[in-house]
Amino acid sequence: MSYFYERFGEITLPIFNRDANLAPAAAKTRIMSTAAGAFDADGSGRSAQQFPHSLSIDAFVSEDDAAAQRVLLDAVRAAVGTRAYLYRRADDDETVQRAHCRLVNLTIDRSYKQRRAYQPIRMEFQQLEAWAGTATSWVLDDGEVLDDGLTVDASDYSVSLTSVPALQTIEVGGNLPVTDAILTVTAGSAALSNPAFTATDVDLRWTGTIPIGQSLVIDCGAASVLLAGADAYSGLSLGAGHAIEEWLRLEPGSTPLTLNVSGTLTGASWSVYFRERWA
């Protein structure tokens, strides 16, 4: 055992005689046949996960009384077709991970002998993304969910800009690379211009000016760039040192990330926000 599915959205899943499909998503291969054999577009690198990915849970609904049984079954019935976070909890340390999933099918078969006892059900999901673990922020001591998000909105990697180049060493847990980090540069008492993020095989640049007290937000997963809340994608470019398909890839382990920016740094800051990714 490694994990058990605990909750879908606001629904606590049945726990009795539970069987579940815990297989990871298959690789999204990019291999083509050639005259010489085959061409692998991913080379020596990791292939992306292929989504959607099918998951299923078989369990018995067995509540204290018939009324409670009906409440849970009605809630599960109503959830068919909806998308929400499916949560799984680790068996060893009870850490929680989540992934957006859609409940696409519910099977309920009832026999005469089950009419006043238990109700077997089968829930079938389509997983839409990799499992996300701990975010770059603090949690309560017991690790419980806050605001359906596992953690509060803060970043361990939010620091003042006192000199450039500025360096943060990003520690990434999980067992998959993070490709959807959010980079933020905030100007203080003076405008900043032309920020550039560099790491191994990463050379991510933005040309323009960040006004006093405003933020530039680069969402590497959504491929969006916002300046003071307005679209600023046109200023983004990849420098000569950029050698990956993604804007930023943080592999499990340590990644030194450097920021260069022009302007007076008084009151300025920058941050990196992400969640661990798990297969």
Side-chain angles (χ1 to χ4, degrees), residues 72-203:
L72 179 54
L73 284 170
D74 282 350
V76 176
R77 288 174 185 273
V80 175
T82 65
R83 188 183 81 161
Y85 283 118
L86 178 64
Y87 293 88
R88 70 181 188 182
R89 188 179 290 271
D91 292 325
D92 55 347
D93 59 6
E94 297 195 339
T95 55
V96 178
Q97 299 164 8
R98 71 182 190 185
H100 269 121
C101 295
R102 188 173 295 277
L103 178 58
V104 296
N105 193 40
L106 174 67
T107 301
I108 302 179
D109 294 320
R110 183 179 184 185
S111 68
Y112 176 78
K113 65 182 179 181
Q114 295 162 353
R115 71 190 189 281
R116 294 184 180 277
Y118 59 90
Q119 175 61 61
I121 66 171
R122 178 179 178 84
M123 305 174 71
E124 298 176 17
F125 298 90
Q126 289 290 295
Q127 182 184 351
L128 306 177
E129 61 184 359
W131 292 99
T134 303
T136 53
S137 54
W138 59 268
V139 297
L140 297 177
D141 289 343
D142 58 3
E144 286 301 318
V145 175
L146 296 176
D147 192 26
D148 198 35
L150 302 182
T151 56
V152 294
D153 298 327
S155 177
D156 289 337
Y157 299 102
S158 180
V159 297
S160 298
L161 259 174
T162 57
S163 63
V164 290
L167 172 68
Q168 292 198 64
T169 299
I170 311 300
E171 301 292 340
V172 180
N175 58 9
L176 291 176
V178 172
T179 59
D180 57 355
I182 298 174
L183 308 174
T184 302
V185 181
T186 302
S189 60
L192 300 176
S193 59
N194 304 334
F197 295 90
T198 55
T200 301
D201 294 332
V202 173
D203 190 351

Side-chain angles (χ1 to χ4, degrees), residues 1-55:
M1 292 292 291
S2 54
Y3 301 97
F4 63 92
Y5 298 126
E6 183 175 62
R7 187 160 60 96
F8 178 63
E10 298 301 316
I11 300 172
T12 300
L13 299 176
I15 61 174
F16 294 103
N17 289 33
R18 183 190 293 170
D19 294 317
N21 172 12
L22 296 169
K28 186 177 182 179
T29 57
R30 299 186 296 173
I31 302 174
M32 297 177 290
S33 296
T34 67
F39 171 72
D40 186 352
D42 290 319
S44 60
R46 176 192 292 272
S47 296
Q49 288 185 297
Q50 183 169 292
F51 295 105
H53 170 60
S54 296
L55 300 173

